[in-house]
Every structure is written in structure tokens, then in C-alpha cells.
Amino acid sequence: MVEGPGATRNGRKVQAAVGKHLVATPSVSSVGSASNPPTLPHHLEGELNGRNLKEAFTVGKELFLIFTLNEEVDEGVRLHFGMNGSLNVRNVKSTDLHKKPSGVPPWKRNNTPSLRLYFVNGIPLNYIIVEAWETTVTHPVSATSARNKMIDLTSRDVCSTLFNAQDVFTTIRQTGNNLIISDALLNQVICPGVGNIIKIESLHTSRVDPRRIVSTLTDGELRRIIRHSRKFSMDWLKSGRAGKKNVYNQTACGTCQGMTVKMQKIGGSTGDNLSGKGHAFMSRVTFWCTACQPLNASREDVGSLKPPSDTSSGLGNGTEAILAPTKAITNADRPQAHCPQHGQKFIKLCRVRKGGQNTLRIFFTCKRKGCQYFCWADGQFSNCKCGKKAILRVSKTERSGGRWFLCCASGDKSSKGNNSNGCGHFEWAKDEHLAYLSPLLTPLL
């Protein structure tokens, strides 16, 4: 998910085009080159051609581009970067317009962008190109509404220079007191820019269980959460990378080192309803440490928490089979995770995402650029009744969240458009399935 820091950095990139003149797709190209890529979405070429980019600003996770014509009519474009959106701004000469952008991952660079705009860069035949991938583009958007939104929310925007912690505190108390704290932080009217990673890590640092109702939090606890949310966000904004993840996508807590990380899909709820049935868009896979973030801890209890003495117990959260195998692995089919060129240090575990016969299977590969090492990592898994390798998934339910299981790939609901139950194969993963994967296995694989 592109959270507030990523959206803010994208907004800073676009500042290079502010004040510049938007033009239709340039027809000038170098001799023998392909035609220049068109403006995208296509309707923007006609509707915004000839306008100047007057403003570009972010509000939480949204980026607004405000265009003007003769300083009279303002019109907006809204960008929301979703899970994997990205934005690239580059200066190019007219002879290089057809070239693919640098600094963009190849799996995006070779795809059609969601947005492509051409701006004249002052010098004849020089352009600034703004491109965005995997991004929701909304047009037209009221420029007045966008500005009002910025004015109303900027003091609570976790990445804003005008951030006011007291305003956030007051708003949470007034409008989010009946929410679980997990939902209150993700509410983009209450805490613009806070995403799932910021929420999870700031709650962990504050030692607050994400299922706590806001009304049960002391003022000190709530202020601590706001302070850590701001710090984590600003560190991310400054460095361009999210900070250390102590519990997010982890099986062992980075603070107490215990096998005590709980994983569950929660949110979209009030009171005792934690299932997310009320507002599905607020439901997120959430991680927390049951030792560091006890549900019923008082302020004094939280301050005196110590690492658990038995770090292999798993506290019943289903992770003990991942990192605490109880018997040796003797399966002859076990994959050998060792790159012949670069050794075990550069091995990583991946999942097949493309559709096909092997979709969702896991495999080992090498991190080093250009290395062709590949090895299936599911040799120890059983076959389902379909004759295919069972796939490894992780439970996100309240009862068994964090526990791994094997199921039929044809019946996996995470496959887009899949409404089949497959052959119905299901079994809880055992030590022999997980032990060899444990150093590389993460819940969101």
C-alpha cells in the first residue's frame, strides 16, 4: 500500500511541472523511431490541452493536480496510488519521447501507465513527462473541493508540515471514540496519510493492542500513538523507505524476540464486532505482539512489560510450527536452497503470481541481478486430488490467524475471479512442510 509518505514524495516530484503548459501528445519524433506514446487517459488530451498546471498538492494518500485556463477556470485531477501505484517525472528532449522511462521497475515500465501527461519545459522541443502506473485517475474533480479538503485536513495529515498533534487527539476523541484504535488510525478524515504499516508499527511501539476501543485508551496512550505515528511517517518520508518492521509481516516479534506475533484481518467495526463486516474497506490484515501489546494491560502494566521467558511457545497463535520445529526433516524431496554461484546468503522465497498451471506455487531464487537460479520450494508438499501441488497459505481469521495450511490451488480465493472450491483439499501445515522454509517464510508471501 502506498501510504502518506509515498504519496507526499510523489507530490514533490510533480512540483517540477507546476506552472508548465500542458500539450497534446507531441507528434515530433526522431528519424526511424516509433510514434510517441499518447496522453493517458485519452480523454485528457482534449479536455486539458492548453491548460497550465497551477497547483499540485497531497492530502493524505491523495494527489491533486489543479489545471487552469487563462487564470479563470480551474479543474482538478485526482490520483490515488492504491496498493502498488507509482509516479515518475522526467525531463526529455523531443527526440527521446518514445524511449521508456528509467528509474521505473521493468514490470511496470513495460505496462501501459494509468496517466501520462506532457508539459512544455520552457525550451522548444523539451518536455516534462509525468507518468503514473497502477494508479486510480479521477477527472474531472472540483478544484474548490480539493482545496477545501486540503485546508480542512492538513493539520491532521501525518506528513504535513502543518501537522498538529492536538488537533488529531481532539478529532479522535470527538469522532472516533467508539471505534477500535485500528480503524480510527486508518480513517482518512481523522488521520490522513496513515496506512496499514504505519498503523501496525506505531501501535506496536506504543504497546497498544489494535483491537482496543478508543474510549478505553488513556490520554497518555492516545498521545503516544499519535506521536509514534508521526515519527514513523516522517522517518519514512525523509528516507524514502519504511522503517524497521518489528511485527508487520513478521512471525517473531522484533522487540521481545518471542514467537508471539498474532495475525488477523480486523477492522471496519465498532464495539465487539471486529470482523470488518460493517465497513469492508477498513478491514486490513493486522499484526501485533500478544506479549508486548496485551489487550487488557493497564498503563502501569505496559510500562513494565518484559520479554516472555518461553519464546518458543507461540502462545497459541499458530506460528510455533513455523519457527520452532519439533522434529528433524528427513523428506528426500526437500528443496536445496543454495545458489551455486552466490550461496545461501542471497536466496529469497517467492510465489508465482502469473496465471497458469503453476500459479501460487512457491520457489527459491537468487537476489543477485542477472542470476538465473531457480528451484521449486514445495517439493515436500502433498498433491491435491486435482493432481497439482497443494499451495501454502496462511490463515487470517480470529481463531487461527497466522497458522499455515495447504489447500488446492484451484480453490484458492485469492486468485482473481476464482469462485471455485477446487477439489476441497485442506490440511494444516506440519513441521516437515515449514521448517526448511522458516528463515525466508513471511506471512504476506
Side-chain angles (χ1 to χ4, degrees), residues 335-351:
Q336 297 300 312
H338 187 277
C339 175
Q341 281 186 286
H342 307 108
Q344 194 171 17
K345 180 180 178 181
F346 293 96
I347 290 294
K348 66 177 179 177
L349 188 63
C350 299
R351 188 182 294 276

Side-chain angles (χ1 to χ4, degrees), residues 2 56 59 110 120 139 194 201 251 262 275 332 344 348 361 370 372 384 437:
V2 178
V59 181
N110 295 327
V120 176
H139 173 267
V194 172
E201 292 301 327
T251 49
K262 177 74 174 176
S275 64
Q344 194 171 17
K348 66 177 179 177
R361 289 183 65 184
Q372 301 298 311
C384 66
L437 305 173

Side-chain angles (χ1 to χ4, degrees), residues 186-188 267-268 276 278-284:
L186 288 182
N187 189 307
Q188 294 303 294
H279 302 282
F281 64 91
M282 294 287 286
S283 184
R284 295 288 188 276

Side-chain angles (χ1 to χ4, degrees), residues 200-221:
I200 289 170
E201 292 301 327
S202 60
L203 286 173
H204 176 73
T205 307
S206 304
R207 297 196 165 191
V208 172
D209 188 295
R211 299 167 295 175
R212 292 270 302 274
I213 306 297
V214 171
S215 60
T216 70
L217 298 173
T218 65
D219 286 354
E221 286 176 319

Side-chain angles (χ1 to χ4, degrees), residues 139-275:
H139 173 267
V141 171
S142 167
T144 300
S145 296
R147 292 188 183 109
N148 287 340
K149 189 171 189 176
M150 178 183 64
I151 293 170
D152 292 341
L153 301 183
T154 191
S155 65
R156 300 195 293 276
D157 189 330
V158 75
C159 290
S160 170
T161 56
L162 300 177
F163 178 81
N164 186 318
Q166 181 59 41
D167 190 15
V168 179
F169 176 86
T170 302
T171 304
I172 292 179
R173 282 298 191 209
Q174 290 179 348
T175 64
N177 222 30
N178 294 324
L179 298 174
I180 59 173
I181 184 59
S182 179
D183 281 357
L185 289 175
L186 288 182
N187 189 307
Q188 294 303 294
V189 174
I190 298 176
C191 300
V194 172
N196 205 35
I197 297 176
I198 297 172
K199 174 202 78 175
I200 289 170
E201 292 301 327
S202 60
L203 286 173
H204 176 73
T205 307
S206 304
R207 297 196 165 191
V208 172
D209 188 295
R211 299 167 295 175
R212 292 270 302 274
I213 306 297
V214 171
S215 60
T216 70
L217 298 173
T218 65
D219 286 354
E221 286 176 319
L222 185 54
R223 292 186 189 280
R224 189 163 62 244
I225 293 168
I226 295 169
R227 183 172 68 251
H228 286 303
S229 297
R230 169 69 167 176
K231 185 179 187 307
F232 191 92
S233 301
M234 293 306 292
D235 288 346
W236 189 347
L237 177 62
K238 183 177 180 180
S239 67
R241 293 182 177 274
K244 180 184 177 182
K245 301 179 183 67
N246 287 304
V247 287
Y248 178 81
N249 199 23
Q250 304 297 317
T251 49
C253 174
T255 300
C256 71
Q257 310 304 317
M259 308 298 183
T260 49
V261 175
K262 177 74 174 176
M263 172 188 180
Q264 184 185 332
K265 197 167 188 178
I266 63 173
S269 57
T270 57
D272 295 330
N273 173 25
L274 302 179
S275 64

